[in-house]
Amino acid sequence: MVYRVSAVWLSFLLSPLALPALARGVGPRDPVPAGYHAEPYYPTPHGGWLDSWRDAYAKAEALVSQMTLAEKTNITSGVGIYMGKGQYWDFAPAETTTDWVHRPCVGNTGSADRLGFPQLCLQDSALGVSSADNVTAFPAGITTGATWDKALMYARGVAMGKEFRGKGANVHLGPSVGPLGRKPLGGRNWEGFGADPVLQGKAAALHIKGVQEQGVISTIKHYIGNEQEMFRMYNPFQPGYSANIDDRTLHELYLWPFAEAIHAGVGAVMTAYNAVNGSACSQHSHLINGILKDELGFQGLVMSDWLSHISGVDSALAGLDMNMPGDTNIPLFGFSLWQYELTRSVLNGSVPMDRLNDMATRVVAAWYKMGQDKNHPRPNFSSNTRDKNGLLYPAAVFSPIGQVNWFVNVQDDHYLVARQVAQDAITLLKNDGNLLPLSNASKTSVFGTDAQVNPSGPNACLNRACNKGTLGMGWGSGVADYPYFDDPISAIKRRVPDVKFHNTDTFPSNIGTPSSDEVAIVFISSDAGENSFTVENNHGDRDSDKLAAWHGGDKLIQKAAEKYSNVVVVVHTVGPLILESWIDHPSVKAVLFAHLPGQEAGESLTNVLFGDVSPSGHLPYSITKSATDYPDSIANLKTFTLGQVQDTYSEGLYIDYRSLHKQSIKPRFAFGHGLSYTTFTFSNPTIRAVTPLSLVPPPRAPKGPTPSYSTAIPAASEAYYPPNFPTIWRYLYSWLRPGEADAAAAVGAAGTKKYPYPAGYSTAQRAGPAAGGGEGGNPALWDVAYEVAVTVTNSGAAHAGKASVQAYLQYPTGMPYDVPVVQLRDFEKTRELGPGESQEVVLRLTRKDVSVWDVEAQHWVAPGAAAAGAGAGRGADSNPNNFEFKL
Ligand code: NOJ
């Protein structure tokens, strides 16, 4: 065996990830503003009480009941950061196998090899398999949202699921719906689908369906309130910020997409780094036990975000099921708050066996639910190196080396889906005098470094943490490596070979006088990402460049508009920008938002620019005239304060267009806006009441049975290291030395350990709230209340095009609740309609869509039903309900 000193370990020691690390555990909480509560909720509801998971739980129960204590704790935790990123010897608890097993992922759990339960490979990201070769770099979530196309949202999920499976990942760490996009400057909004819960929720549900149909567990993240990057993490000097969210706002905005994901059967949830109402998300009993697992009936596993695990017993009791990547939040020396510590906590009686059984069962049930017991491929890549051979334990000081990459190509024809998404997301905001589409014969000059791929290569910057060349994605963990990059300038040159390209962001001084028909295409960008990297002084959030184009892009447009009378602006951006310094310039005739297109940036754009297709993207957020059009709590990022940064959602439901409507502020371009080369008419709108509504949903069914195990503390011997077990320094194991295990068991047997259980702690399982009862909540919430139909006709003469139909709910005046003026509730996109062609489009509004969350009742109440005089109970009265709809 050849060994090498691991430079990975050394570089990690020096990396920013090591900084948040000195553990900050459970202590007195910092005070939060009055009115924001994190009520205790115990115990963790057992998983398995729903029919949709019945088979998976039956199989899981059969397997978990054969596991030893140390096997159960082993599968609920990672084996250490950078520890599984190679091929390494597979140490079985009861015997040593001679198999080489390869687990190269960003997160790797322990296993129960004796019973055939493998280590699980958890891999980023929400836009493709990260840190891997031969994969597709799909357009980002925000781009997918901008298509407003459900079929594409699903197709992208299917393609991505196939790639995760093909690479041997068990768990896909996406999609992201938190952040929702409350703050336009927030760093990771682009990983999700847009600043509206319904757009996020429907896109996420379709993505999850696509991924999980390929046998890969999808993870909805980050739960919850991760709306800003700076100050998100707990560190020795400061807790992560507290997102202070009231109960109604939580339910109607931020929780909504998570509920949709759970309704779609998502297998995993990742908690957020920050706190909510003063309590860290990774150990928040109200959020995990109460809302996620009881009210929303979540049956899968809840994992921590990386290195956000700050308590052992408390997080287990609060409902966390998996600690990722296994270490304490100081990951340097191979310590964990779970693994061997969880084993000890069960033996000494602090963590009830009942909770550990449920944790292990949830992990195994998710694995069975996706059919991963049948021929799921083993990982065949390394996130650590592109070399064929590399470190088998990258984070060990001395690591053996061996084969770590098999270069399996999983791309298939997924570039087609990627290109279609990139193309159908392109959003035309302005097209004066129908400058677009261009003809191939147009005399064309192109300006801006964003038009050409980064000259050092598309993957030159680690985790894309730079903004050089065309911006195809933001930065951080939410990225994938480009297999190639089809950049706009190459695609334009394929159409207009004698295009003049000025690869600069400063307008050249030597431009002559262009002819009046010459077209200038100006490329600008705005980037953002994860707080683990700072790019051009932006700390994840856009705290430095704010809502201006990077690299002086706004100036570049102004200068081009002074010279050329036909300027087309192409914007690659993570989110909204303020366009006021040039948008009304008469020479700026056309503006296209191409969002973050991924690898297919070129042809997707030229197909639109040159009129092969009409643009059909629509904005997934509003573009305001000024950043201050939003209230302070939205417009500004939180800056440093001593103690815990308090981010209070004082605007309540009023973010993005909800806020603008409330304040009667006209945006520059509205949420949902997007032009086409053709025009559409909408005719014959009809609304049909489908399910008669009662004031609240009908009573839920009682919970079904859940697995039953012995709750006795197991024998200490179940925790002993196997004899002659060779350990690797820094690798996290779940076993204890016999002396340690015996000592812990003696404490447990004597009952002398008095763990300081949190306020409100109880072990008696609850019946569950009335708002619960199924995956995502009370099943009747998804009853279709109304069907809305409309005929869409392409009324233009020259171009085919796709139309976006969006249904917004408007309550009648006089509702007993304060409600936003309008709220998106459903959307559909037509097929490509030729001139004169029509299509009938049907949209559906559910009971939940027409309900508000009543904080007193702790239930979804349909005020329309109340106004119609309907009593409680399904079918107590028949409609019509008093709602108005806008098309
Ligand atoms: C931290 C990020 O917040 C999360 O989205 C990601 O999945 C994990 N790191 C793993 O890389």
Side-chain angles (χ1 to χ4, degrees), residues 340-356:
Y340 54 92
E341 286 297 358
L342 186 55
T343 303
R344 195 194 317 272
S345 302
V346 171
L347 285 177
N348 73 20
S350 307
V351 172
M353 196 56 205
D354 183 57
R355 179 72 265 268
L356 178 63

Side-chain angles (χ1 to χ4, degrees), residues 281-324:
C281 285
S282 62
Q283 51 187 32
H284 202 300
S285 67
H286 174 72
L287 285 177
I288 309 176
N289 287 342
I291 292 190
L292 203 58
K293 291 185 173 173
D294 230 358
E295 186 183 320
L296 301 188
F298 178 58
Q299 306 290 303
L301 67 104
V302 180
M303 70 179 81
S304 64
D305 199 347
W306 270 233
L307 305 176
S308 68
H309 195 218
I310 55 172
S311 68
V313 177
D314 287 46
S315 62
L317 301 181
L320 195 74
D321 303 305
M322 186 182 279
N323 158 27
M324 273 293 142

Side-chain angles (χ1 to χ4, degrees), residues 163-328:
E163 297 204 1
F164 275 85
R165 187 184 171 100
K167 284 290 184 188
N170 300 86
V171 181
H172 157 55
L173 299 174
S176 170
V177 295
L180 178 65
R182 167 178 175 247
K183 297 188 190 209
L185 297 177
R188 298 182 74 182
N189 300 345
W190 58 274
E191 294 185 44
F193 305 97
D196 177 272
V198 169
L199 183 55
Q200 287 270 11
K202 290 192 188 293
L206 289 159
H207 178 89
I208 289 160
K209 181 167 150 42
V211 167
Q212 295 197 159
E213 281 172 0
Q214 315 315 314
V216 173
I217 300 168
S218 199
T219 308
I220 192 88
K221 65 187 188 182
H222 310 81
Y223 183 66
I224 196 168
N226 192 172
E227 298 290 328
Q228 161 169 334
E229 281 298 287
M230 295 186 296
F231 314 112
R232 63 182 180 158
M233 285 184 93
Y234 280 65
N235 69 47
F237 312 108
Q238 199 181 30
Y241 63 75
S242 177
N244 302 316
I245 315 176
D246 68 82
D247 190 37
R248 181 166 170 212
T249 302
L250 185 84
H251 277 82
E252 292 189 25
L253 280 189
Y254 300 97
L255 188 65
W256 188 292
F258 287 94
E260 290 295 318
I262 293 166
H263 190 64
V266 74
V269 174
M270 187 192 294
T271 57
Y273 280 124
N274 51 281
V276 167
N277 299 353
S279 177
C281 285
S282 62
Q283 51 187 32
H284 202 300
S285 67
H286 174 72
L287 285 177
I288 309 176
N289 287 342
I291 292 190
L292 203 58
K293 291 185 173 173
D294 230 358
E295 186 183 320
L296 301 188
F298 178 58
Q299 306 290 303
L301 67 104
V302 180
M303 70 179 81
S304 64
D305 199 347
W306 270 233
L307 305 176
S308 68
H309 195 218
I310 55 172
S311 68
V313 177
D314 287 46
S315 62
L317 301 181
L320 195 74
D321 303 305
M322 186 182 279
N323 158 27
M324 273 293 142
D327 314 70
T328 53

Side-chain angles (χ1 to χ4, degrees), residues 20-96:
L22 296 160
R24 182 179 169 113
V26 178
R29 291 185 198 159
D30 284 34
V32 298
Y36 295 93
H37 308 285
E39 303 295 343
Y41 196 102
Y42 295 99
T44 305
H46 293 156
W49 50 271
L50 281 172
D51 284 345
S52 46
W53 284 71
R54 184 82 53 223
D55 287 352
Y57 266 85
K59 290 179 191 160
E61 181 179 7
L63 195 77
V64 171
S65 58
Q66 300 172 57
M67 288 184 184
T68 63
L69 169 60
E71 283 168 335
K72 290 176 186 174
T73 52
N74 204 24
I75 66 169
T76 64
S77 183
V79 294
I81 194 160
Y82 296 133
M83 194 43 100
K85 291 187 173 182
Q87 178 185 16
Y88 47 81
W89 200 251
D90 187 27
F91 295 110
E95 76 266 314
T96 1

Side-chain angles (χ1 to χ4, degrees), residues 562-775:
E562 282 167 19
K563 271 279 188 212
Y564 293 79
S565 35
N566 300 302
V567 175
V568 178
V569 177
V570 176
V571 189
H572 289 123
T573 182
V574 291
L577 291 171
I578 301 296
L579 315 175
E580 296 307 301
S581 66
W582 47 264
I583 190 72
D584 278 334
H585 195 294
S587 296
V588 177
K589 299 236 164 70
V591 179
L592 290 170
F593 264 46
H595 309 282
L596 300 173
Q599 69 184 38
E600 301 297 332
E603 199 167 317
S604 59
L605 180 66
T606 51
N607 286 348
V608 172
L609 271 180
F610 295 96
D612 300 2
V613 295
S614 290
S616 66
H618 288 253
L619 286 177
Y621 43 72
S622 308
I623 294 181
T624 56
K625 294 181 181 161
S626 157
T628 54
D629 283 351
Y630 288 120
D632 205 54
S633 60
I634 298 180
N636 293 320
L637 295 162
K638 284 290 171 183
T639 51
F640 178 78
T641 50
L642 285 176
Q644 187 170 41
V645 172
Q646 299 296 326
D647 190 3
T648 300
Y649 291 29
S650 49
E651 75 288 343
L653 298 172
Y654 297 98
I655 66 165
D656 203 272
Y657 66 89
R658 291 166 169 80
S659 166
L660 298 171
H661 285 155
K662 185 180 167 78
Q663 302 176 83
S664 301
I665 292 176
K666 202 168 170 334
R668 169 55 70 171
F669 294 112
F671 175 86
H673 172 72
L675 302 172
S676 170
Y677 297 154
T678 187
T679 50
F680 297 99
T681 54
F682 296 77
S683 56
N684 306 327
T686 58
I687 294 174
R688 188 168 72 86
V690 181
T691 308
L693 295 185
S694 45
L695 187 60
V696 294
R700 58 172 286 175
K703 290 179 179 176
T706 57
S708 121
Y709 304 98
S710 162
T711 54
I713 296 176
S717 57
E718 288 194 23
Y720 292 175
Y721 268 99
N724 306 319
F725 188 80
T727 57
I728 300 278
W729 184 65
R730 267 191 102 260
Y731 194 97
L732 302 173
Y733 300 102
S734 60
W735 300 286
L736 296 168
R737 307 273 161 226
E740 295 173 308
D742 292 347
V747 174
T752 49
K753 172 103 180 162
K754 292 278 171 277
Y755 186 80
Y757 288 107
Y761 179 65
S762 150
T763 54
Q765 288 284 312
R766 303 184 184 204
E775 281 183 282

